[in-house]
Amino acid sequence: MDDMPRTPADGTRLRILAWLGDPDTAERGLSADDVAARLGVPRPAALTHLHLLTALGLLHPTGQDDGPRYRRDEIRLAEVTELFEKGW
């Protein structure tokens, strides 16, 4: 996975952000297992995407008994969107 693109615009990460934008999913968030199942990849691959999005400030993990669930940070997403619209 060292060759995995390290940009927030990677298609896989955009799909994750889109899933988390769905109102039903946004409320409860997604676990690493949820993301792995939807992508059809092993859990470590899903965690790589989730950790990068978290490091960029686009996701926030919230603690649960069964592990963290990830939710979008709408304010940070708006900031990044604005940067791209301005021709970053």
Side-chain angles (χ1 to χ4, degrees):
M1 278 187 266
D2 290 333
D3 60 341
M4 183 180 296
R6 300 227 177 251
T7 65
D10 173 80
T12 301
R13 290 185 278 280
L14 288 174
R15 282 195 311 241
I16 294 168
L17 290 170
W19 294 332
L20 287 166
D22 175 82
D24 293 330
T25 305
E27 186 173 323
R28 63 180 174 80
L30 290 173
S31 69
D33 290 332
D34 295 334
V35 172
R38 286 185 180 206
L39 292 174
V41 300
R43 188 173 191 274
L47 279 170
T48 298
H49 292 294
L50 292 168
H51 288 163
L52 178 65
L53 290 167
T54 299
L56 293 170
L58 301 175
L59 296 183
H60 286 292
T62 57
Q64 299 287 330
D65 292 337
D66 60 345
R69 298 191 72 79
Y70 295 84
R71 292 181 176 85
R72 292 180 2 162
D73 181 326
E74 298 298 337
I75 294 170
R76 178 68 178 144
L77 280 168
E79 293 169 351
V80 171
T81 299
E82 185 177 342
L83 282 174
F84 280 102
E85 288 173 350
K86 288 182 178 180
W88 173 44

